[in-house]
Amino acid sequence: MTDETGPWLVVGLGNPGREYAGNRHNVGFMVADLLAGRLGARFGRHKRAVAEVAEGRLGFGGPKLVLVKPLTYMNLSGGPVAGLAQFHKVPPDRVVAVHDELDIGYGQVRVKCGGGEGGHNGLRSMSKSLGTKEYVRVRFGIGRPPGRQDPADYVLSDFGATERKELEFLVDRAADVVESVITRGVEPTQNLYHGV
């Protein structure tokens, strides 16, 4: 049985370093930063994991959130996530990965639990290290690259000027979705946000 009072591990997936900060692949970091601001928490380097961590409660007396930004680069994200899940005694069904998603149109946010990784190296690493795919994913749509651009180049490029006009609002919505998953559950969140 899951401890209803236990913490949630919210993982923003991205790559460390200033040169990656505005990349489509780093939208998970953007959402994690916004959530930390909402909690009044600051990210700091964790002693036992290659990650930055911020902790706080969602609302007065609400559930505890452990926000994580792995510093290992995307394809090795799973190690720090699994280590922190073990350290904080968080079961996989209370782990939420926030990540970019090529197969969803720009600005759409979708939630699912489990399933495939869709070629996303961060998710693949998490599934391997956690030993399960049964964790929650908050998927931030970035759409497919235009023309014949390589998807790998596309995710590692910055959001375009038109996209940036809406980005702040969309990151805010994605943070709302994460909070909804924690306070309402996956299915009610899908019902609330998937029509948007």
Side-chain angles (χ1 to χ4, degrees):
M1 282 293 288
T2 298
D3 174 9
E4 283 304 311
T5 61
W8 286 77
L9 203 69
V10 178
V11 182
L13 289 175
N15 287 309
R18 202 173 285 170
E19 68 271 32
Y20 298 106
N23 288 181
R24 292 178 175 90
H25 223 20
N26 269 44
V27 76
F29 275 17
M30 296 173 197
V31 175
D33 285 337
L34 181 61
L35 284 166
R38 288 183 180 185
L39 298 179
R42 277 206 163 138
F43 276 100
R45 187 69 187 259
H46 197 272
K47 293 185 182 91
R48 297 193 184 184
V50 186
E52 286 191 344
V53 174
E55 297 180 28
R57 289 201 175 271
L58 197 54
F60 182 73
K64 181 182 176 184
L65 268 60
V66 180
L67 303 172
V68 181
K69 295 193 295 184
L71 298 177
T72 50
Y73 292 97
M74 187 67 84
N75 58 353
L76 298 173
S77 301
V81 173
L84 287 163
Q86 195 173 8
F87 180 77
H88 289 281
K89 299 180 172 59
V90 179
D93 65 347
R94 289 173 85 92
V95 173
V96 180
V98 186
H99 63 92
D100 58 301
E101 177 64 67
L102 283 163
D103 292 326
I104 299 174
Y106 177 68
Q108 295 181 351
V109 181
R110 297 289 178 262
V111 181
K112 71 174 186 174
C113 189
E117 291 98 4
H120 196 289
N121 290 332
L123 294 177
R124 190 178 290 136
S125 177
M126 277 185 61
S127 298
K128 186 178 177 186
S129 296
L130 289 169
T132 181
K133 295 181 180 184
E134 296 305 307
Y135 53 90
V136 181
R137 296 99 184 273
V138 172
R139 307 153 74 207
F140 188 106
I142 60 169
R144 283 270 161 197
R148 297 185 176 193
Q149 187 179 4
D150 181 4
D153 293 336
Y154 178 70
V155 299
L156 290 174
S157 61
D158 287 358
F159 285 101
T162 308
E163 292 170 322
R164 281 199 300 274
K165 286 177 186 169
E166 285 189 284
L167 187 59
E168 194 176 326
F169 165 76
L170 297 170
V171 167
D172 195 63
R173 183 197 289 160
D176 290 345
V177 170
V178 172
E179 291 185 0
S180 178
V181 165
I182 291 162
T183 57
R184 294 185 178 98
V186 170
E187 203 172 313
T189 300
Q190 290 170 332
N191 293 337
L192 195 60
Y193 285 97
H194 282 201
V196 178

